[in-house]
Amino acid sequence: MLFVSFDFLLFIVPVLLISWGLSHVPVLRVLFLIAASYFFYMAGPETDPLQPPWYYVGLLLLSTVLDYVCSRQIWQQREAFEGKDARAKTAATRTRNFWLGVSLVGNLGLLGYFKYTNFFLGVFSDVAHALGMSVVVPHLELLLPIGISFYTFQTLSYTIDVWRGRLTPEPNFRKFALFVVFFPQLVAGPIVRAHEFLPQLHRPPRLSAEAMTRGMYRVLIGVAKKAILGDWIASQFTDAVFNAPENYTSLEILLSLYAFTLQLYADFSGYTDIAIGVALMLGFVLPENFERPYQAKNLGEFWRRWHMTLSTWLRDYVFFPLGGSKGSPGRVYFNLWLTMFLVGMWHGASWNFVLYSNIHALAMVFNRWNRLRKRGAATAKTRAMWVTGMLLLFGAVVGLSSSVLQLGQPESLGLAGFAVLMFLIVARLPETGTAWNTALHVLLTFHFTVLSRVFFRADDLDTSRKMIAGLLRFDAHGIRDGLITPAVWAVLLFGIGYHLLTPKGLVDRESYAVFRRLPGPVIGLLLALLGLAVHLLLSSGPRANIYFQF
Amino acid sequence: MTSRTATADEHEGLLDGEERKVKVDLTRDEEHAASYPPGTFRKVIGAIVGLGLAIGLTYAVPAPQVSTAAEEPEKGSLAAALVACFAAQPGLAGSSCLHLARPWTLATDPDTGEYKYVPFWNLIGRELLGMGQKAEVADAEVKEAIAVARAEAEKAEVEEFKEVEVRATPVQEDEKVPPLAPHEDDAEPVEVPLERPEALDRFYAALTRTQLGLPGAITRAMHYGDSAIGNDGITGAIRSKLQARFGDAGHGFHLLGQPNASYRHQGVRFDERSQWQHCFIIFDCKKDGYYGLGGTTFESAGGAEIRLSTAQKGPMGRKVARYEVWYAGLPKGGKLRLKLDEQEPVELETAADQLEDRWHVIETDDGEHTLSVRAAGGGKVRAYGVAMERSVPGVVYDEMSQIGALTRRLLNFDAEHLQRQLARRDPDLLVLMFGGNDMNTQGTMEKYRAEYSSVIQLFRKGDPQLPCLVMAPLDHGERDGSGKIVTRPIVTKLVQAQREVAQAEGCAFFDTYEAMGGSGSMGRWVRSSPALGAGDLSHLTHHGHKVVGSMLYRSLMQGYADYRQRIAGTPVKALSEAPASGSQPVKADTPSDAAP
């Protein structure tokens, strides 16, 4: 079910009223919320292509039962595992690892099968072709179960935490089931950890007038972000460019990247706002997922502010177990690269995402190196190393551009020159300094995210190539009259300016202070007007959240 | 319940800090009934009531007493309907316009009789109301198209087309046309067969000669159309398929500059170093009607230059052996400088007593080349384009897009000028794909049929037997009041009109709209992954181009296979006895001369 839809209104009002009514009967409240969440999952709208049928909910149930059982089996070995009997300890370790393995294989197996099978078959075919072998691989008609990337990570983290001894297993199956399927965050996050959510089911719901008002505020803001800055800009401009980039001028393609950067943030953070707001009204607190990411001064900070629940998940369950920042520099850089590569690949299974993941992972490696390197007077040796490094970077970009992206020679050289120039600017720019210096860092980081979005949004490598070739054409056609209406211009400039320039705390505080003074019926009227605006602006109806497909 | 053994400081980067360990004990249960202060729900209940009243009001007010769009919002956007309604009913009476904003009505689709909006569709509509089956059929059609797109994308990795072997021995008197050898493409299903494929017999005869490898057997097709074929998308896809099967005889015709930002051909690298002034036929900017073969004239008093180079990647356009520059002789005409690779340039004097059509041929070795065409001063020059061909048997497929053109704009050609241009090009097939822009004009279908017939007659004036194929427009979608993308009502009317024109003029007909999946297909193509339809609901993505190109190719080949079956065993020499196209004398010509 989509949040910004009439369906959801028909759903959420009775759910809220009944949930509040059952807040004195915790068992029934939890059971009711489980039933509501399953209904939410199964009762989606008609879409093209069709979404999976209702019985795909079985996978959700399977994942729930799997991790509930595995975690309990692991916990049962605790005494032997922590005891002094070496033989019993070895057996307990083996049993614990076995059940952890069952959970990992079960969860990652499902995720891998539905999300990555066709990609790996394609990779196999591509590699075989590259080696001169003629191989025909099947393309499986798989439907990606909605939210599988989210609920898989959620249940997996629970079992791993129990295995690590950082969490006692949830004794009550219904509470665990609600943790897995809680509808506000089920299909597109935030990815909630067990230690954040399950304790909330062990105490009374936190219902208060303040929580209700703040919840409504987050819903209102979320709907506006999702529908106007997200869906509307896409329907008016971005989609058309990405669908046929060859029809657009260089400047129009660049503008579409800015527009998509805004759209993606508004779409996902708007969805998160609604999820957090609805959860608040139901008496739950969900973690934040965004913190003005486009105001980050470097890429490390960007990923701390963007989709925080995913990036911190991979940090805690991949980066730290690999050794984190401890160990040799080479090992640390490898840990860093691998973690960020997985962050990227979590988003999609295609060559586009392989490139996107590597661009961000390598930029993170560079970011760390640049911050930690010794800055001193240049010697002949360091100069030689810089020149060699730049030549290598130039050659690598030229090679990749011409081979993988199949760009022409001028475009490849242009792209490589641009990469080297950006590298030098960022490397030479002081880490700290004046406000201008900070602004420059923010602008550079923002533009890195904007340009790398080519690979995130384009349907395939061919479209990415056309987008990049179009950008590097530097044609003089500008932006053609009538392509972008004044209203779209206004929303674009407002959206980018708002998220790039305004301080989150201040804006949220002040606007919330105004909102909380409004009487309830006025808020209801505001919601109705917003609904009408969505109805008017989006004649096709709101779209599914972009992260649904992940 | 929670204890932290270590915490990290506020750190800048995501992966800079130390691991933060949290221990949570879920064995203690503090679960008990909630107690909340009075007034907890006052505001939120007030908001729900306010929202409910606002929605209820849209159902409570009577339907507006206005006409057209306001009465039937499903035929246009809600915004337009509301604006029209409020304009028609100013003041308090306008409150009834809120009726149009009802979020849920029981409206049904006139085509299917199904409800346009069913809440919780995946459960109620799909399973309980049985709407899933039809949706799954439509879904399967899109999947089929996507499979074609994927297959085409994989096939594009071919680096070079196989050369057709040229026959060394002359055709014998008693030599018979052999049966068509099986080809893997012919096993693929045909979405929609051609209507009246026999109208293309002369084209199929040319293809047969090409396939038999007869020396100089080049099959030429010219494909005119609106933006549906812009960017050489659909045409490039067809060219690629035909050349892969029958041989690559060159890229074909290319304009001398860019009449619009999206003019770009596959298999040609071009660099308009200094821009030409162009005049595009749709603007009716040349009263003499001399627009050249491609519908655009390019003029310069000096300095304008274009460089056309063979492609460096992909199988198409890798070689050229013959350049033919299409230009005009005109009073006080200046010089046109042609430079092939690093050879000495050739200067053409374009001065003439009166406006006349001219051509200049440069023959060279079959390989990679770059031709520069430059206005060299001495007066204004006027030119049209360059045809690039090879001397081996194969297919040449010209993309002749007229972006933004209504069908009738082609009537802006001077008839004799067009006749000479076509005669010189000597095509074996004329394909016309218009209608996308005609959907936005007012006028009856009767008028439209007459216009389209006039265009076909104009193009066949010099060669009434020239095989022609009318290709119906793509499906064009629009959003209805419930949010679905539906086919614009004019699409089916226009398709039918074109079908009738094709029949009346003796042309073959390809129903592109039906091949895409018919009603609502653009919506499905737009939402497919990868997207096949563009966001404007009128055009296709490059994947969509490949799918439509492939569909037309398969239909053409079905007709070809039938033709070969019919003529199998007849003398090969009879193939040449079909009336030769381009048999009209060229009236104003300069002799073709080779470059130094």
Side-chain angles (χ1 to χ4, degrees), chain A residues 7 51 168 247 406 460 516, chain B residues 26 43 117 231 313 543:
Chain A
D7 280 16
Q51 60 173 268
T168 60
N247 289 352
Q406 299 186 332
D460 49 33
R516 67 184 306 208
Chain B
L26 296 172
K43 187 175 275 190
Y117 168 59
N231 288 314
K313 287 195 297 261
H543 289 296

Side-chain angles (χ1 to χ4, degrees), chain A residues 1-16 219 524 527-528 531, chain B residues 47-48 51-52 55 103 117 120:
Chain A
M1 199 180 297
L2 306 179
F3 277 162
V4 187
S5 66
F6 188 61
D7 280 16
F8 186 67
L9 187 64
L10 294 177
F11 166 81
I12 193 62
V13 170
V15 167
L16 283 175
V219 169
L527 279 166
Chain B
I48 291 172
L51 179 60
I55 293 172
Y117 168 59
F120 315 122

